[in-house]
Amino acid sequence: MERFNIAIVGSGPAGITAAITARIRNKSIVLIGQKCGSNKVSSAAVIKNYPGLPDVTGATLSKNLLNHLNAMQISITEDKISCIYAMGKYFVLKAASGTDYEASSVILACGVDFVKPLKGEKDFIGRGVSYCATCDGMFYKDKAVCVLAYEKNAIKEVKYLAELCIKVFVFKCFTDIIEESLPVNVTVIAEKPLEIKGSLKADVLVTEKGEYKTDGIFILRQAVAPDSLVPGLKTENGYVVADRQMKTSIAGCFACGDVTGVPYQYIKAAGEGNVAALSAVSYLSEL
């Protein structure tokens, strides 16, 4: 497996700037995110404080950022990272596609997740709670699982689980599920999940109407909270704690942009992305 110098998670201004700076410093990189860039940027009406681009629209800024990547022959790998493991001198990034990426350092530029975790969710991460069906589905072969579907792409992972599991209960959270397209062993339930319970592992999902016994629970969201994404990462009020060099509590892991907290500004994100890349380059030199 190829091991990159730097893996960058997120394709907004912070991630793109980090990728550009890392490429200028001749580092091998993988930039993981949406190929269209950040939806938050492209949907902005007018941005007034981006230097050199007065009154630029979000769509224009997004296009310019992607054009800059193309000019430097940097591609965006479209995938969703569900977990990042620090392995000492390198990191393993597990993706929803089933692909594992390896890198000597990681830059988190993945924005913020405003979805409040369920009661008990974080207590059972890795013990019956997973954020990636293709990563952990095989652990539940011939068993019954619950899927909390917060995103449209959840349908792909639901079908994958249906091939492995005896029964799959899908809870429609903030997305529509077309039931006619699902295998017969999938049941769609329109109830709001409230809590995850268990002893040694999660085995009960509590909803607004009752409780469901289960062997495992898959929570499929567009984004994963930072402390769930990187086990052991220090966070505060949902944000990654990083110093002025964008260093986090884990050596070799850096963070930039909205994931580090307010203010939510495109120019702030870009500046932090530049610093994070320079710090990652320095870290690599020290290895």
Side-chain angles (χ1 to χ4, degrees):
M1 179 186 298
E2 179 182 4
R3 182 175 297 174
F4 298 93
N5 293 141
I6 305 172
I8 302 162
V9 183
S11 55
I16 288 176
T17 305
I20 291 169
T21 300
R23 175 58 58 85
I24 290 172
R25 292 303 181 100
N26 295 317
K27 300 303 177 186
S28 63
I29 62 173
V30 57
L31 174 59
I32 304 169
Q34 300 180 68
K35 286 193 174 180
C36 61
S38 167
N39 291 329
K40 180 181 176 182
V41 175
S42 60
S43 61
V46 179
I47 302 164
K48 291 181 173 293
N49 66 339
Y50 207 96
L53 296 172
D55 294 329
V56 64
T57 65
T60 298
L61 178 60
S62 182
K63 182 180 178 180
N64 288 345
L65 289 171
L66 294 175
N67 285 343
H68 198 157
L69 286 180
N70 291 333
M72 299 194 68
Q73 298 182 324
I74 299 172
S75 61
I76 298 174
T77 299
E78 194 160 51
D79 214 334
K80 185 182 80 172
I81 301 301
S82 58
C83 199
I84 300 173
Y85 295 105
M87 307 298 289
K89 291 187 177 181
Y90 71 100
F91 295 82
V92 174
L93 297 82
K94 302 189 76 65
S97 64
T99 303
D100 286 354
Y101 303 91
E102 286 190 6
S104 299
S105 63
V106 169
I107 296 176
L108 303 177
C110 42
V112 288
D113 178 16
F114 293 106
V115 178
K116 185 179 179 180
L118 296 176
K119 183 178 179 180
E121 175 182 331
K122 293 187 177 181
D123 297 331
F124 292 102
I125 295 173
R127 296 191 297 122
V129 170
S130 173
Y131 298 105
C132 178
T134 51
C135 303
D136 300 327
M138 284 301 297
F139 293 118
Y140 300 93
K141 185 174 175 60
D142 299 326
K143 295 182 179 181
V145 300
C146 291
V147 176
L148 279 54
Y150 289 88
E151 59 169 334
K152 293 181 179 180
N153 288 336
I155 192 71
K156 297 178 182 178
E157 297 191 63
V158 167
K159 289 182 177 180
Y160 172 72
L161 287 171
E163 296 175 0
L164 299 172
C165 303
I166 291 177
K167 190 67 180 176
V168 180
F169 296 96
V170 180
F171 294 82
K172 294 193 292 185
C173 298
F174 300 118
T175 187
D176 290 326
I177 298 291
I178 302 174
E179 299 182 39
E180 292 77 10
S181 67
L182 296 174
V184 294
N185 61 334
V186 175
T187 300
V188 178
I189 301 170
E191 295 178 19
K192 182 181 178 181
L194 299 177
E195 182 181 357
I196 295 171
K197 298 195 300 186
S199 52
L200 294 177
K201 64 183 291 294
D203 54 22
V204 175
L205 177 66
V206 181
T207 74
E208 59 189 343
K209 294 184 179 180
E211 296 187 354
Y212 293 83
K213 290 284 292 181
T214 179
D215 294 303
I217 299 171
F218 290 87
I219 303 175
L220 306 182
R221 299 190 182 105
Q222 185 63 40
V224 180
D227 53 351
S228 300
L229 181 65
V230 188
L233 186 68
K234 184 178 180 180
T235 61
E236 238 175 54
N237 300 320
Y239 301 113
V240 177
V241 175
D243 64 14
R244 287 183 59 81
Q245 284 70 50
M246 303 293 107
K247 296 179 182 178
T248 71
S249 59
I250 297 176
C253 180
F254 306 87
C256 53
D258 290 356
V259 76
T260 65
V262 293
Y264 301 143
Q265 295 281 316
Y266 303 122
I267 185 57
K268 175 255 194 185
E272 289 188 350
N274 176 259
V275 175
L278 293 174
S279 294
V281 170
S282 295
Y283 169 78
L284 293 170
S285 298
E286 296 170 1
L287 285 180

